[in-house]
Amino acid sequence: MDNAKLVLNGKEYQLPVTVGTEGEVGIDITALRSKTGAITLDSGYGNTGSCESSITFIDGERGILQYRGYPIEELAAKSSFLEVSFLLIFGHLPTREELDKFTFDLTHHSLLREDMKKFYEGYPPTAHPMGVLCSMVVSLSAYYPDTQEERYNNIIRLLAKLKTIAAFSYKKSIGQPYVYPRNNMSFAADLLHMMFAVPAEDYEVHQEVADALDLLLILHADHEQNCSTSTVRMVGSSEANMFATIASGICALWGKLHGGANQHVIEMLQRIQNEGGDYRKFIDMAKDKNSSFKLMGFGHRVYKNFDPRAKILKEAADKVLNKLGIKDPLLEIAKNLERVALEDSYFIERKLYPNVDFYSGIIYRAMGIPTEMFTVMFALGRLPGWIAQWKEMREDPAMRIYRPRQIYTGCTERSYIPIDERRTVEVK
Ligand code: ACO
């Protein structure tokens, strides 16, 4: 493809063009500032490619999501979360031997150091599990040095231990004794067992519930350069250790415009139910520019047609609830909201569709997972994606520290004012 031409102050500059394997076009501005003195301005990075990556492909216009070239629909139907984790991190679907080794390694690294349990004691039971999750992950750096030789082991440790950390933070919040990981259970079943089993009582994990959790984890596993993944790359680019780097991604995910939306969707649906079920009133509120209310679980920076994950999850929600014999009025409210919104010109014109968080909460609820743990579940799913993106960046010989620029809009140079000569300025 031809170079792009930029004319600035009457002078013409050639900018090289990069084309990805799926035809995406990027104008390479790496040398823009040194050649022209100018930078690009792209608030929210909606048009900025921060890296080249061979992990995940999204076509938001056509509702396509692929991990390493495999369509999400196929992976959701045929694969498992551990297989997908291996695929994302190591770049190919594992052979049986590779998957057996990966599974063995993961099951044999899932215990936490006993003294890490003391960290939980310091938190009040009301602590949000995302805060606990993040600090436990960064604490792992105190135990496991981040060296090149330990890279594989540390990846395994983090993948294996995050589910134990997550389950322990739930047990802490309800004041129950911790249940230790089991090596004879699948990843999803072990997580459910650690969360819901009570010592001295029998607890059997429903296969349907474990399968549904595995599906949710697959659907969340990666999503190219979203807010938390970009945070991971940003922090990782300073060569901070892997545990600190991933902890930063957990913090970014927590926000309600990102992974925290799944908790807020259920809170919104509950509010609609508590206020009499008039979902149209909430649609009107979401459209009202004088209200800060947004339809949680709706809209996406990249998907402008449909979110393929939401499509899979809508069907899965019906299936799981039927299998478990659960009738959740919130599912009906969610479907009504979706139907009305998709016929409304406000949502049509802005291309706003349900995203992955819209139906995931309904399934988590059916599994008995409390609302505050929803974003933790998302973090567990997203972990292999964060690791894959971090590893890809660290293995790239051209990696540079992430350091964007800005257009300064503050005061121009002025002289220091002695304290007694200053006027009171209203503080906002
Ligand atoms: N409800 C009502 N209006 C909305 C919504 C919504 N959920 N989302 C976007 N809009 C409106 C905006 O007000 C804006 O309207 P305007 O053009 O009249 O000003 C227009 O649609 C474009 O939206 P932006 O906010 O500019 O889109 P952006 O790409 O910056 O934000 C985001 C995307 C954050 C996902 C947004 O749609 C949102 O806040 N959704 C609700 C929260 C949510 O579900 N987040 C989860 C996203 S998926 C994930 O991270 C896992």
Side-chain angles (χ1 to χ4, degrees), residues 110 112 116 120 132-134 136-137 140 158 160-170 194:
S110 53
L112 297 186
M116 277 192 82
Y120 287 91
V132 179
L133 193 77
C134 165
M136 290 296 160
V137 168
L140 289 174
L158 185 52
K161 292 180 200 306
L162 195 69
K163 75 174 175 344
T164 313
I165 291 174
F168 280 20
S169 59
Y170 173 57
M194 283 193 281

Side-chain angles (χ1 to χ4, degrees), residues 266-399:
I266 291 297
E267 287 169 359
M268 174 186 77
L269 295 175
Q270 261 162 347
R271 187 176 154 203
I272 298 176
Q273 188 190 31
N274 295 345
E275 293 184 18
D278 182 3
Y279 46 87
R280 287 175 198 274
K281 186 176 94 188
F282 287 81
I283 299 265
D284 289 341
M285 243 158 67
K287 288 157 50 177
D288 181 359
K289 288 287 161 204
N290 297 316
S291 150
S292 60
F293 179 81
K294 274 186 176 180
L295 213 52
M296 297 313 289
F298 251 75
H300 199 276
R301 173 63 63 79
V302 179
Y303 293 120
K304 297 297 171 200
N305 188 341
F306 64 94
D307 179 338
R309 304 165 301 171
K311 214 169 166 184
I312 298 171
L313 281 179
K314 186 179 178 183
E315 274 176 34
D318 272 329
K319 254 196 228 155
V320 174
L321 268 67
N322 274 342
K323 271 193 190 157
L324 298 178
I326 295 174
K327 225 176 145 26
D328 187 345
L330 298 196
L331 179 59
E332 286 316 303
I333 296 177
K335 283 185 181 171
N336 283 330
L337 268 184
E338 179 185 355
R339 184 177 44 78
V340 174
L342 295 186
E343 288 164 1
D344 189 299
S345 59
Y346 174 95
F347 293 88
I348 295 170
E349 278 159 21
R350 289 169 180 76
K351 300 189 165 116
L352 301 171
Y353 297 85
N355 59 48
V356 68
D357 292 321
F358 196 66
Y359 285 106
S360 62
I362 308 263
I363 307 181
Y364 289 136
R365 252 165 75 90
M367 291 172 176
I369 293 172
T371 318
E372 286 217 325
M373 284 294 287
F374 289 2
T375 315
V376 170
M377 296 293 141
F378 192 151
L380 280 165
R382 184 54 55 87
L383 181 62
W386 288 330
I387 293 175
Q389 301 271 351
W390 166 80
K391 183 168 169 286
E392 181 180 69
M393 181 182 71
R394 290 299 302 269
E395 288 170 0
D396 179 357
M399 183 195 92

Side-chain angles (χ1 to χ4, degrees), residues 68-138:
R68 302 277 189 191
Y70 297 102
I72 191 66
E73 293 79 4
E74 248 189 292
L75 293 170
K78 300 178 184 165
S79 187
S80 70
F81 177 60
L82 290 199
E83 205 176 43
V84 163
S85 301
F86 186 100
L87 170 70
L88 287 168
I89 296 170
F90 301 108
H92 62 274
L93 281 171
T95 61
R96 191 166 294 284
E97 290 72 37
E98 283 172 327
L99 186 60
D100 286 349
K101 179 180 180 324
F102 190 58
T103 308
F104 179 91
D105 290 348
L106 285 177
T107 46
H108 287 80
H109 281 89
S110 53
L111 281 171
L112 297 186
R113 296 282 188 109
E114 273 302 287
D115 44 1
M116 277 192 82
K117 281 192 342 200
K118 292 202 192 89
F119 299 168
Y120 287 91
E121 287 165 24
Y123 285 100
T126 50
H128 196 289
M130 281 299 277
V132 179
L133 193 77
C134 165
S135 52
M136 290 296 160
V137 168
V138 83

